[in-house]
């Protein structure tokens, strides 16, 4: 799927988006923002009602002075979007007894 970073950010902010080609998207899940200094990144999972996709948005700044999203810095560049599917993953780790 081809979409811009701005379209992906719109999907995050409004929970839905319509692409230039008329494709309608709906937000399904979002992770927690991950912090790296003054930069944050967020993974989104969304659907076009046929398949599921994942993409990341980013922002920099702080909660006191505000945030600038990636599209504010880089314009309408293409977003990296991948088709995904939900699968159960079992992990094993050491825990205190």
């Amino acid at each position: 799927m081809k979409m811009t970073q701005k379209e992906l950010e719109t999907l995050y902010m409004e929970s839905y988006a319509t692409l230039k080609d008329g494709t309608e998207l709906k937000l399904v899940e979002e992770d927690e923002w991950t912090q790296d200094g003054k930069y944050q990144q967020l993974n989104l999972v969304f659907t076009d009602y046929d398949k599921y996709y994942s993409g990341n948005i980013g922002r920099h700044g702080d909660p006191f002075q505000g945030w600038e999203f990636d599209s504010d810095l880089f314009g309408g560049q293409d977003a990296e979007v991948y088709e995904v599917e939900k699968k159960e993953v079992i992990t094993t780790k050491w825990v205190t007894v």
Side-chain angles (χ1 to χ4, degrees):
M1 165 170 294
K2 286 194 73 129
M3 63 188 304
T4 65
Q5 196 65 37
K6 186 67 174 173
E7 290 169 326
L8 196 55
E9 292 166 4
T10 299
L11 180 62
Y12 164 69
M13 291 179 210
E14 298 182 12
S15 298
Y16 64 90
T18 302
L19 303 181
K20 292 176 190 174
D21 68 1
T23 302
E24 293 184 13
L25 304 175
K26 178 183 175 191
L27 184 63
V28 175
E29 283 182 23
E30 61 185 69
D31 291 341
E32 297 290 323
W33 285 100
T34 57
Q35 189 79 35
D36 184 14
K38 287 192 170 239
Y39 186 77
Q40 292 184 330
Q41 188 170 344
L42 179 70
N43 180 262
L44 306 174
V45 176
F46 56 95
T47 183
D48 63 0
Y49 302 95
D50 182 36
K51 297 178 182 176
Y52 290 87
Y53 302 91
S54 177
N56 291 322
I57 59 172
R59 64 186 184 183
H60 77 282
D62 62 61
F64 305 106
Q65 295 185 8
W67 299 100
E68 285 189 280
F69 283 85
D70 284 350
S71 67
D72 297 330
L73 300 172
F74 307 116
Q77 74 182 30
D78 289 342
E80 291 187 27
V81 174
Y82 304 96
E83 185 178 348
V84 295
E85 63 182 350
K86 193 174 222 176
K87 292 206 175 210
E88 180 179 359
V89 177
I90 300 172
T91 59
T92 303
K93 63 180 182 176
W94 291 97
V95 295
T96 307
V97 290

